[in-house]
Amino acid sequence: MSDDTQNHDGHSGSRRDFLYLSAGAFASVGGAIALWPFVDSMNPSADVLALSTVEVDVSQVEVGQRVTVKWQGKPVFIDRRTEAGIAEARDTPLDDLRDPETDEARAERPEWLVVIGVCTHLGCVPLGQTPSEPRGEWGGWFCPCHGSHYDTSGRIRKGPAPLNLPVPPLAFLNDTNIKIG
């Protein structure tokens, strides 16, 4: 009798088990290698990763001025608000709002409001970034496509839009630089 143990049929069980386990291991590794390109293709590409964050120097933005930057292919409105605009946004009763949200929750620093400039109704870009454009009844933004009006905090006040202009993830790196994303 050899070193291998035999079962009641006279066959060597340990060699067969070893062969089954080895074949299964090789098949698993081969399957994983074959699937890796498909799994890897679901990761974001380098150009998407490059757009995942954007740093904006706002040192040249004057009080009352609005600028637009691009983040992930969308316009982002940055508004350096006046004291009157901040007061008006903070004094608005939440009962008057379709999508109630305080100004404090929307603007980390009261002087700076940063919102994604895409109407929440059907995706148009609202007007109001320059003084010559209509800003709606509440002095914020006006969507020319279907008539939505946003206030100085980017909250929906009138029209078909169901939600406020979204606030992107952001961080103030210092007094003059904002990191969006």
Side-chain angles (χ1 to χ4, degrees):
M1 192 155 140
S2 68
D3 293 334
D4 296 329
T5 58
Q6 294 184 353
N7 60 15
H8 65 298
D9 292 338
H11 296 289
S12 174
S14 63
R15 282 187 185 163
R16 184 180 323 150
D17 292 342
F18 174 75
L19 289 174
Y20 285 147
L21 288 173
S22 297
F26 281 113
S28 297
V29 170
I33 290 171
L35 285 176
W36 176 250
F38 298 109
V39 173
D40 190 44
S41 71
M42 292 183 230
N43 288 329
S45 61
D47 60 333
V48 170
L49 288 175
L51 295 174
S52 64
T53 62
V54 65
E55 288 186 24
V56 182
D57 179 9
V58 293
S59 61
Q60 302 299 314
V61 180
E62 301 292 328
V63 174
Q65 183 181 2
R66 294 175 174 176
V67 295
T68 304
V69 297
K70 204 168 211 179
W71 172 67
Q72 294 186 340
K74 296 177 270 194
V76 174
F77 297 161
I78 300 175
D79 183 9
R80 187 167 184 185
R81 304 188 298 176
T82 63
E83 289 296 325
I86 296 168
E88 182 181 333
R90 291 193 170 186
D91 293 342
T92 301
L94 291 180
D95 295 341
D96 292 352
L97 301 173
R98 182 177 306 158
D99 183 13
E101 194 174 8
T102 64
D103 183 63
E104 292 85 353
R106 297 183 56 74
E108 183 179 322
R109 294 189 183 179
E111 184 180 13
W112 297 101
L113 177 70
V114 181
V115 293
I116 297 174
V118 177
C119 182
T120 58
H121 178 232
L122 290 176
C124 295
V125 176
L127 301 175
Q129 281 300 93
T130 62
S132 63
E133 294 178 343
R135 292 189 172 185
E137 293 179 27
W138 287 269
W141 291 270
F142 171 73
C143 182
C145 295
H146 300 100
S148 293
H149 295 251
Y150 297 91
D151 67 9
T152 57
S153 190
R155 299 174 296 199
I156 183 64
R157 299 297 297 272
K158 180 180 178 182
L163 301 171
N164 301 330
L165 293 176
V167 176
L170 63 100
F172 286 88
L173 302 176
N174 53 42
D175 289 340
T176 61
N177 289 302
I178 301 173
K179 182 178 181 179
I180 302 170

